[in-house]
Amino acid sequence: MAIRWLPDTRVWILETNHSAYALGIHPEGWLQHLYWGSRLVDPGDYPEPGHEYRGSSFDVGLQPEEYPAWGGTRFGDPCLKVAYADGCRDLRLEVRGHEIAADGHHLAIHLADPHAPYGLEVTLHYGLVPAEDIVVRHAEIANGGGAPVDLETALSAAWNLPPGAYELWHLSGAWGAETQVQRQPLAGPGEVLLESRYGHTSHAANPFFALSPVGETGETAGRVWFGALAWSGNWRIGVRTTNDWTLVAGGVHDFDFRWRLDPGEVWRTPAFVGGFCQNGLGGMSRRLHRYQRRHVLPAAPTPFRPVLYNSWEATYFNVTQEGQAALADRAAEIGVELFVVDDGWFGTRDHDRRGLGDWTPNPAKFPLGLGPLAEHVERRGMRFGLWVEPEMVNPDSDLYRANPDWVFHFPHRPRSEHRHQLVLNFAREDVRTHIFGVLDRLLASHAVSFVKWDHNRPWTEPGWPAAPAERQREVWVRHVLGLYEVLDRLRAAHPAVTFESCAGGGGRVDLGILARTDQVWASDNTDAYDRLRIQEGFTLAYAPRTMMSWVTHSPTWANGRQLSLEYRFHVSMAGGLGIGDDITKWSDEEMSRAAGLVAQYKDIRPLVQAGDLHRIQSPRASDITALAYVAEDRSEAVLFVYRHRTGPMHPHTRTSAWVRLPGLDPDARYQVEGERVRLYHGGDLGALRPVSGTALAEVGLDVGGLNGDYASRVLRVRRA
Ligand code: GLA
């Protein structure tokens, strides 16, 4: 499994465990995409460069290029579009050479504009992740000439699909309804543009795509080509179909983008990760999850994400030392491991109209600072965490009064406020220095071991008057790079601190932020039933261990739905478990049930956070949702079953559900632990008789004890 160069045909073949990606040098010198799909037995079977679509004088520009640059005969989405200082905007790239790393897992292809004085050089990078059938691509654009070059489009990669008709799977939504699974046939010629122009990743769309041949692919089988961008700012993924040819081009959005490359400078695009598999959407997700666990997520100080308590829905801005200490006492009683004080602890922050930006404890709420509360929490065996929103400022704050120029703004124009706040310009070094200093001191002085980093509005009026005119539009990118820089510096300075990404819920979930944060807050919508759909979409692309989910109040603020404590826990236990209700109001009986559920979560946590997810039944499909996490060595599993409502059915199916349990070793025998579980139409399994992995997958289980609407069960399955 490695990268090979075939000099005779001038072809590179990139093989992973199950897939292959091939490209070569066309006789005219340009880089031609050749193949992406299953691994072929014989290297000679891969297509060779040379062939291209040609017809009338209008049927031109249909060449399957690896990294299309705009110039000459090209009419689609370019990956690269530049303006040279002499006014020329026609870009030509020729292959100049390549290197394959000694381990055979990295390829760099060097391209250059043949007009030497322009000095424009492009290096395409391909990193191979053989076990997950993933190729990680990015590009570096260097100005080796004597005059500035303006980049007008500089995408990360283009992915050519084999000819055919596809349907597109993607994630869209809104605040409170993030990551909803969308399935969209690419009905004919045209382009589907997935994008964000909000400045941050966005709730409305997520930088992830999957394509499958029409009608072929489902959860468990079928071919799927997929990809995700490692970028937390404006992004675009364009899926363009011309005749039967589909091209996906993505990267930093070229909307209002311009990047000045001075002589000697290099621009490095974010990574665009792509993969191929034959085991449907489930196979895709498991590959993406493993890839994130092994190659993307930062090394965390604890092997598993702790059970956390978050104060937001319990106290909102009404934070006091006594109130938080009382919550912490109760949290410790039920087994919480990390206590997080959300918004409202700092500055004059009694509501959302003031205080943002002043990151010092409110003296009325914390007369002796945060120290006493942090110690109180630690004495109860928990770690202490804080909410911050470092990229934002209320105009009614000391920070803004002292530095009104630090926010995005255009001269002579109003500064639009959302949630009464403005966006600090992280492209500015003075802003980054200030924020790093404030947070560095906060983390050093208060035994803070967890930070929830929020971002609660889109960007508007993205002006940066202090920058030279030709660099003004770089602000979209430089803010994100500045955010990454501050996070990287904080992590380096405080390696024991873990970070959660939040943007009003799941507005900043992507592979870029996940390289710097340990987990994300998936949605402000904490209704457990709605959450099943949000979590289904989230796990299509992102690892369940990053997906924080709190048990909150019933009826929920979001929609008034009433759900049992068990159902709420069972939904949250399918990701990173948190609790976010006012637990001082829970009865003794609720406290003891909650303690039991937290203990059960700690027991199954290694499976949920490091196992392979199998989505068995979708909440979009029926009244039953089912999913399982299977240990990588298939020695055990945990099965989650949710019944949303009963219907006028056979008496037996009113209280039970039939689910298959895939993913186990077909030949091994397993014990299903729990009462009222039978092999379908068979005898009781509860601690009675072990059955094979095949039987669990093919015959399925009859899970009883699902009485009434919104009933749920969590079952443990162990190799006998
Ligand atoms: C955002 C977050 C919430 C909470 C509030 C605090 O909306 O998503 O979880 O932290 O901000 O203001």
Side-chain angles (χ1 to χ4, degrees), residues 181 219 529 532-533 536-537 615-627 642 644:
V181 177
E219 183 62 31
Y529 175 62
L532 284 177
R533 285 183 183 219
E536 177 195 41
R615 287 178 295 259
I616 302 166
Q617 207 152 312
S618 163
R620 290 171 294 129
S622 75
D623 291 336
I624 302 288
T625 297
L627 53 105
Y642 311 91
H644 318 315

Side-chain angles (χ1 to χ4, degrees), residues 175 312 317 342-343 349 387 419 452 454 456 502-505 521 524 550:
W175 174 79
W312 177 241
F317 296 101
D342 207 278
D343 200 349
R349 188 79 168 168
W387 177 95
R419 213 190 188 207
K452 174 179 173 186
D454 211 337
N456 273 318
C502 175
W521 177 226
D524 279 342
W550 311 336

Side-chain angles (χ1 to χ4, degrees), residues 219-270:
E219 183 62 31
T220 55
R223 288 172 296 163
V224 48
W225 290 259
F226 54 90
L229 274 171
W231 188 242
S232 313
N234 280 357
W235 58 271
R236 61 166 288 152
I237 296 179
V239 184
R240 177 179 272 259
T241 309
T242 314
N243 303 328
D244 59 354
W245 172 44
T246 298
L247 182 75
V248 184
V252 169
H253 209 313
D254 51 3
F255 165 76
D256 199 39
F257 168 86
R258 191 67 54 89
W259 189 277
R260 167 59 58 98
L261 211 53
D262 273 333
E265 285 185 345
V266 179
W267 150 265
R268 188 178 196 273
T269 73

